[in-house]
Amino acid sequence: MIPVTDMAGQKVGILGLGRSGLSAARALQAGGAEPVLWDDNPDARARAEAEGFVVEQLGSARAMQEIALLVVSPGIPHLYPEPNPVIAAAWEAGVPVDNDIGLFFRALGHGEWAAFDSPPKVVAVTGSNGKSTTSALIHHILEEAGKPVELAGNIGRGVLDLDPPEDGAVIVLELSSYQSELARALTPDIAVFTNLTADHLDRHGGLGGYFAAKRRLFAEGGPDRAVIGVDEPEGRFLANQIATAPGDDRLIRISSGTKLSGPGWQVFAKKGFLTEWRKGKQIGSIDLREVAGLPGAHNHQNACAAYAATRALGLGPRQIEAAMKTFEGLPHRSQIVAREGGVTFVNDSKATNVDSALKALLAFDRIRWVCGGLMKEGGLSALEPGLAHVSKAYVIGREAAQFALGLTGTEVEICTDMARAVEKAAADAEPGETVLLAPAAASFDQYDNFEKRGEDFAAQVARVLGR
């Protein structure tokens, strides 16, 4: 645990008692504060009371008069589509609102940090797609290089549940827009922006608000070095705002599919090869086609981001290449779950929208595609560039028939459930083909979450293959 000591002796309200809320309460209490907790869910309140915390409704004027700070869990909206009533009460009372990410950065530098020969560094990763894989890959590369490193945030542990870092350690944080939009302190040493596609628009009041939440990671504290994906206009805008001159190497521009040039620092992937250029000279190159855990152009962008971040931390190109070759990928994200008879079975259950499913389709050549679920707005037309890679689609979900109607020009079999889809796809698959779960839809019509859907796919593959 990382204690939060700068609120010692003061009452702090905690709104929302999921992982981050309870973690913040424990860290504040360990630092001498008096946390007062609330959640609309009675089960969550009962869990907090069982730990000995004070639980009180926080929305009244009296409650607001007693607290010096309100800490809000990331799932609770503070502005759009409308402010939570407790947050609105805090505004009215002039009580500052923060979250666990803000508390984490406020806690940095206290305690033993002043005595370290090499103060710990923080790498923070944000973006629409790929931030989990990028964060995990950075962590893996550093771990393989023998560096003390921890992974937290929107992946793994809560930030305040981390062990106090040791001399020379690195903390890798994955930050969602929900986390970065409200944190009052954001001061990473290295900040990474992967890409931007439309998501969470109701929560942020549109695409501009969503980008603004991501941009705060670079604007609030000013990282020592920024790694920026420049394949979208927002990334190019952000890179331009950070650099003070064309050769400013505080900025590392990255791309998947575009050769970057200029006097600055660039890392790009093209035709399966990652290349680093700095001050007009090629520094390093990696054949990503040999990295089984990072298939497809979208993962090559993740590789560029992780390479750039770890280079900025002082690792050499060959160290990074060796570590990438041992990266197995994350569960449910282009995860190879089996190979049999020349057929590869890939679980990309995290591809819950059309954009991420398209990237998965473009990563493989001949696909038996397991897809479908709870459809999202916008239809399936954006999948068209990837459908040429699909030999046949096997559609699951309660809306399977409707989903199939959106796949014009593609051979389709309506299977409804995962067991039948995997059976049929495995039976039809020929050597050299990939049986791919990339649903392009939410999981909630049949599963609690995308993880459960991916686990079912893996289990059905194992059953069909007799493993």
Side-chain angles (χ1 to χ4, degrees), residues 35-352:
V36 179
L37 284 60
W38 182 255
D39 193 298
D40 290 339
N41 185 330
D43 292 337
R45 297 199 299 269
R47 287 193 294 270
E49 287 177 330
E51 285 197 40
F53 287 115
V54 174
V55 176
E56 285 182 15
Q57 230 293 341
L58 290 171
S60 67
R62 180 194 61 79
M64 286 298 161
Q65 289 172 358
E66 295 179 352
I67 64 174
L69 177 71
L70 178 66
V71 177
V72 179
S73 292
I76 298 173
H78 71 281
L79 190 56
Y80 302 111
E82 61 183 31
N84 180 278
V86 176
I87 296 175
W91 294 347
E92 186 69 23
V95 175
V97 179
D98 206 346
N99 62 12
D100 64 322
I101 303 300
L103 293 181
F104 167 81
F105 280 108
R106 285 166 56 170
L108 295 182
H110 293 287
E112 300 177 353
W113 281 53
F116 287 149
D117 292 328
S118 300
K121 293 186 179 297
V122 178
V123 179
V125 180
T126 195
S128 297
N129 298 310
K131 56 185 180 291
S132 294
T133 297
T134 299
S135 301
L137 181 56
I138 293 170
H139 176 266
H140 175 78
I141 292 168
L142 292 169
E143 197 170 48
E144 290 291 293
K147 304 289 185 182
V149 58
E150 297 183 86
L151 178 65
N154 200 46
I155 184 174
R157 304 162 70 183
V159 292
L160 295 170
D161 284 333
L162 289 171
D163 300 324
E166 60 186 86
D167 198 315
V170 180
I171 296 171
V172 183
L173 302 182
E174 179 196 336
L175 297 184
S176 71
S177 57
Y178 291 7
Q179 293 170 309
S180 62
E181 69 173 342
L182 194 59
R184 296 174 72 90
L186 283 168
T187 54
D189 297 278
I190 298 171
V192 179
F193 176 86
T194 58
N195 52 57
L196 193 86
T197 58
D199 207 356
H200 308 305
L201 301 189
D202 57 338
R203 170 65 180 262
H204 298 294
L207 185 61
Y210 176 51
F211 175 55
K214 301 287 189 185
R215 182 180 175 274
R216 289 191 77 246
L217 183 61
F218 303 85
E220 293 301 309
D224 294 336
R225 184 154 276 133
V227 176
I228 306 292
V230 295
D231 290 333
E232 294 87 30
E234 291 85 358
R236 294 191 287 273
F237 168 81
L238 185 56
N240 183 265
Q241 287 210 314
I242 289 169
T244 58
D248 186 351
D249 69 359
R250 293 176 306 149
L251 167 69
I252 308 176
R253 296 157 66 226
I254 64 167
S255 174
S256 176
T258 301
K259 181 178 179 180
L260 302 177
S261 60
W265 197 348
Q266 287 91 217
V267 178
F268 59 88
K270 193 170 177 62
K271 295 182 179 179
F273 287 87
L274 179 153
T275 305
E276 175 190 5
W277 283 77
R278 191 172 185 183
K279 297 180 180 179
K281 295 181 180 180
Q282 182 173 328
I283 305 298
S285 179
I286 297 174
D287 185 353
L288 295 174
R289 298 172 303 174
E290 299 178 356
V291 182
L294 295 168
H298 61 303
N299 274 312
H300 293 176
Q301 183 185 59
N302 301 334
C304 288
Y307 178 97
T310 49
R311 285 287 286 134
L313 289 168
L315 270 64
R318 299 284 74 82
Q319 278 182 294
I320 299 170
E321 179 179 16
M324 282 186 176
K325 289 181 177 179
T326 62
F327 182 66
E328 296 182 352
L330 288 178
H332 318 298
R333 297 164 176 86
S334 297
Q335 176 193 16
I336 297 172
V337 296
R339 286 190 175 96
E340 183 81 19
V343 178
T344 303
F345 295 81
V346 177
N347 166 22
D348 204 340
S349 184
K350 186 65 169 65
T352 59

Side-chain angles (χ1 to χ4, degrees), residues 348-382:
D348 204 340
S349 184
K350 186 65 169 65
T352 59
N353 58 43
V354 167
D355 181 72
S356 54
L358 174 60
K359 289 181 170 64
L361 293 178
L362 293 174
F364 304 97
D365 291 328
R366 297 163 54 205
I367 299 170
R368 300 286 171 174
W369 180 29
V370 179
C371 56
L374 190 62
M375 294 179 65
K376 297 185 177 181
E377 293 181 7
L380 303 176
S381 60

